[in-house]
Amino acid sequence: MHNYDVIIIGSGLGGLVCGAILSRNGYKVRIYEKNRQPGGCLQTFSRDKVIFDSGVHYIGGLGQGENLYKIFSYLGIMDKLKLKRMDTDGFDHINLGTEDKVYRMAQGRDQFIRTLAADFPGETDALHAYCDKISEVCSKFPLYNLRLGDYDEKRSVLPLNAASVIEGFTDNYRLQQVLAGNNLLYAGVKDKTPFYVHALVLNSYMQSSWKCVDGGSQIARLLCRCITENGGTVIRNTEVRRIVGQGDRVDHVVLESGEKASADYFISNLHPAQTTAITESDAIRGAYRTRMQHLENSTGAFVLNVVLKPGTFPYLNHNYYHHATDDAWAGIDCTPDQWPQTYAIYVSASSRHEKYADCLSVMTYMRYDELAPWQHTFNTDRMESGRGADYEAFKVQKAEQLMAAVAQKFPDFRHCVQSYSVATPLSYRDYIGTSDGSMYGILKDSADPLRTMVSARTRLSNLYLTGQNLNLHGILGVTMSSVITSAELLGMEFLVEEINQSILK
């Protein structure tokens, strides 16, 4: 039986950041990843010699001195990343209903207000109040600001509902919808999504917005290198099948080969429901298991990945969000016969071209129950198994519908398409490991915020959780969750001080 200081289950961003932090601080780390490629949603893939991202379309908070910049600098990867800053006068373009006009979200508070005030000249005070509220809410999350604090600071803002708060700043319906216009970033649900989710996500992009040149897998590669240089290992193509407890601790894990591996500490980057499902311990009581199993997940995604004919589609250094109606929250409630009702276009940044794009991804919502006929199937590049001709026909039908919707706003789009591939919630389920292919894990609910917040600690004293289901999804949210998890071993005061001091060295 192998023995390590820390065994980490899953090499998504949460697992890799935990591994990088802990190995940097002297822990002997081993990460087990079931897929061929590490990184979870950081994974990239190639079609027609063009690189696509699985999930990292843009990143906020990477400007000098910003929160993610500090953490990545601490881990030694910041200066190695190939990044392209997005348009400062509009990183996100919002389009509503049948109008051609786009509304731009700009980087920097002053420019953000100035840009939208040009379209809504009577709403300058409302925009200032909106930005003030975002700053206020963000200030109540200590770790987001890389400082010490406690839960009580944020208690008062957790129940705030995003749609309600936004509507409270202005009676201008169009401005309300524009401010909520990129809610695909967090699968926004009008009567559930908390304002803190909206604020933390949008604030990071308002500070600075970036694309990864040639794909986000560079983040995973650099973190893996950090781990191995510090004496850790990342084992791919190896699934952890069981977590075996003894008393109030995990004794060992069992790999798919039947081999056992033990450690002093264990960190699971799996969804909490999956973690409890494979954990054999009387210390994990039925009520806790039931709670984890019944947490509502966010909806799934349908992603159209398009290889573009060379020199036909101009490179867009911004994202484009379209809503079929004037209601920016309505798209998530679309039905199969009225689909899609919203979509986002993300154009990849390539080192090969600047004037024209090599590829782009179009993302929209898709409910898992639409895929009921194929839910018994499983398919990854490690365990290839086709889902059948009906599934392929379903993907083609949906891809054509989505391309037709895009062509209404970009008339030449179809002529630019060389080839395409599709990812459905089943793709996310099989590669990323969520039971229902959800986009962003557990759905946060402003009406019951505590129920949807999951602690890094478990009932087993040496088993911890990490990943997008703890606090917030996305590159920034998962990285922050990894700091929380790592601090269980290192101490929060020590770790926050180390991160802040690293950029001064």
Side-chain angles (χ1 to χ4, degrees):
M1 182 186 293
H2 299 294
N3 194 289
Y4 307 94
D5 293 330
V6 184
I7 284 176
I8 298 175
I9 304 169
S11 74
L13 178 63
L16 290 178
V17 173
C18 284
I21 291 173
L22 294 173
S23 64
R24 190 181 190 277
N25 285 280
Y27 285 83
K28 184 181 178 184
V29 172
R30 170 160 285 201
I31 299 178
Y32 289 107
E33 168 55 50
K34 71 172 185 175
N35 290 321
R36 177 181 58 83
Q37 185 181 166
C41 283
L42 295 171
Q43 295 176 61
T44 56
F45 59 94
S46 178
R47 295 288 184 273
D48 290 356
K49 300 181 180 179
V50 171
I51 297 172
F52 287 92
D53 271 302
S54 296
V56 183
H57 300 297
Y58 62 138
I59 308 174
L62 284 177
Q64 188 165 3
E66 294 169 9
N67 45 20
L68 195 54
Y69 174 94
K70 288 182 179 180
I71 298 173
F72 280 2
S73 296
Y74 169 70
L75 295 175
I77 70 171
M78 185 64 221
D79 60 350
K80 300 178 180 67
L81 292 173
K82 294 191 297 180
L83 301 169
K84 182 179 181 65
R85 187 156 191 173
M86 299 175 69
D87 291 340
T88 56
D89 63 350
F91 61 91
D92 280 349
H93 288 197
I94 313 298
N95 174 256
L96 294 156
T98 58
E99 71 176 0
D100 293 328
K101 181 175 179 55
V102 295
Y103 300 88
R104 292 175 292 128
M105 293 187 171
Q107 298 179 47
R109 175 192 166 113
D110 291 343
Q111 193 168 1
F112 181 91
I113 293 172
R114 206 164 43 241
T115 301
L116 284 178
D119 290 322
F120 300 96
E123 300 294 333
T124 301
D125 289 346
L127 289 165
H128 275 285
Y130 168 77
C131 289
D132 286 345
K133 191 64 175 181
I134 283 184
S135 297
E136 176 198 340
V137 169
C138 290
S139 73
K140 294 183 180 296
F141 287 76
L143 191 57
Y144 185 84
N145 299 281
L146 290 173
R147 62 173 178 81
L148 298 178
D150 57 40
Y151 173 80
D152 285 339
E153 285 191 59
K154 56 190 175 186
R155 185 188 299 272
S156 64
V157 301
L158 295 180
L160 298 177
N161 175 266
S164 298
V165 172
I166 292 171
E167 289 168 4
F169 294 118
T170 176
D171 293 328
N172 188 308
Y173 183 79
R174 182 61 103 207
L175 178 57
Q176 293 172 5
Q177 305 314 307
V178 168
L179 293 175
N182 55 6
N183 64 46
L184 262 165
L185 284 168
Y186 44 84
V189 179
K190 187 171 185 178
D191 60 351
K192 288 190 176 182
T193 298
F195 184 73
Y196 81 82
V197 171
H198 172 89
L200 295 175
V201 170
L202 188 62
N203 184 68
S204 68
Y205 291 116
M206 283 174 61
Q207 289 182 329
S208 64
S209 301
W210 309 80
K211 292 186 183 184
C212 287
V213 178
D214 298 332
S217 62
Q218 58 181 293
I219 299 173
R221 289 195 301 271
L222 290 169
L223 289 172
C224 286
R225 186 184 307 169
C226 173
I227 292 165
T228 55
E229 288 176 350
N230 288 317
T233 53
V234 180
I235 306 300
R236 299 175 296 169
N237 299 314
T238 303
E239 183 177 3
V240 172
R241 293 282 176 84
R242 297 160 56 206
I243 301 171
V244 181
Q246 185 173 328
D248 70 341
R249 296 174 58 82
V250 174
D251 182 69
H252 63 274
V253 297
V254 180
L255 310 179
E256 60 185 86
S257 64
E259 182 182 3
K260 299 177 181 178
S262 63
D264 296 324
Y265 302 97
F266 299 81
I267 296 173
S268 175
N269 192 45
L270 307 179
H271 190 289
Q274 287 182 286
T275 303
T276 55
I278 66 171
T279 301
E280 301 171 2
S281 170
D282 292 336
I284 305 292
R285 296 174 182 171
Y288 181 82
R289 291 181 187 273
T290 299
R291 179 190 166 220
M292 293 299 105
Q293 294 294 331
H294 287 86
L295 286 170
E296 183 182 2
N297 286 326
S298 58
T299 193
F302 180 93
V303 182
L304 176 69
N305 297 299
V306 177
V307 177
L308 297 162
K309 295 175 183 176
T312 61
F313 195 92
Y315 171 72
L316 305 179
N317 200 32
H318 59 264
N319 308 307
Y320 180 88
Y321 291 87
H322 169 71
H323 303 276
T325 71
D326 292 334
D327 183 354
W329 299 98
I332 200 166
D333 296 320
C334 65
T335 57
D337 60 336
Q338 290 187 318
W339 181 94
Q341 290 293 295
T342 185
Y343 62 79
I345 298 178
Y346 304 110
V347 180
S348 301
S350 170
S351 59
R352 298 193 298 178
H353 308 289
E354 289 193 2
K355 185 176 180 180
Y356 291 99
D358 289 332
C359 63
L360 59 80
S361 296
V362 187
M363 184 175 77
T364 188
Y365 296 121
M366 176 169 282
R367 298 194 178 281
Y368 188 64
D369 55 18
E370 276 200 70
L371 300 151
W374 310 285
Q375 287 176 17
H376 64 283
T377 64
F378 185 88
N379 182 41
T380 66
D381 57 3
R382 182 181 172 223
M383 299 178 63
E384 291 188 18
S385 177
R387 304 189 201 273
D390 288 348
Y391 178 72
E392 296 304 317
F394 172 84
K395 289 195 300 181
V396 170
Q397 175 199 342
K398 291 295 185 179
E400 291 294 327
Q401 283 181 251
L402 185 53
M403 283 194 288
V406 172
Q408 290 179 13
K409 295 295 179 178
F410 296 84
D412 295 330
F413 174 66
R414 280 187 176 275
H415 303 295
C416 302
V417 176
Q418 176 173 304
S419 62
Y420 67 83
S421 59
V422 163
T424 73
L426 291 180
S427 312
Y428 285 88
R429 183 200 67 181
D430 294 352
Y431 277 93
I432 308 304
T434 54
S435 62
D436 55 4
S438 65
M439 294 171 68
Y440 304 127
I442 295 169
L443 178 65
K444 308 300 183 187
D445 189 348
S446 57
D448 194 359
L450 295 184
R451 187 180 64 84
T452 54
M453 298 187 79
V454 178
S455 172
R457 299 179 183 180
T458 70
R459 300 289 183 178
L460 292 163
S461 61
N462 63 340
L463 174 63
Y464 302 94
L465 305 176
T466 195
Q468 70 172 357
N469 297 288
L470 268 64
N471 292 280
L472 193 66
H473 62 275
I475 300 295
L476 178 60
V478 173
T479 299
M480 291 299 180
S481 294
S482 301
V483 172
I484 291 171
T485 304
S486 300
E488 293 291 338
L489 278 64
L490 299 171
M492 186 62 78
E493 184 174 358
F494 166 81
L495 186 51
V496 168
E497 178 69 13
E498 285 284 296
I499 291 170
N500 284 318
Q501 289 297 316
S502 66
I503 63 172
L504 303 177
K505 297 176 182 178

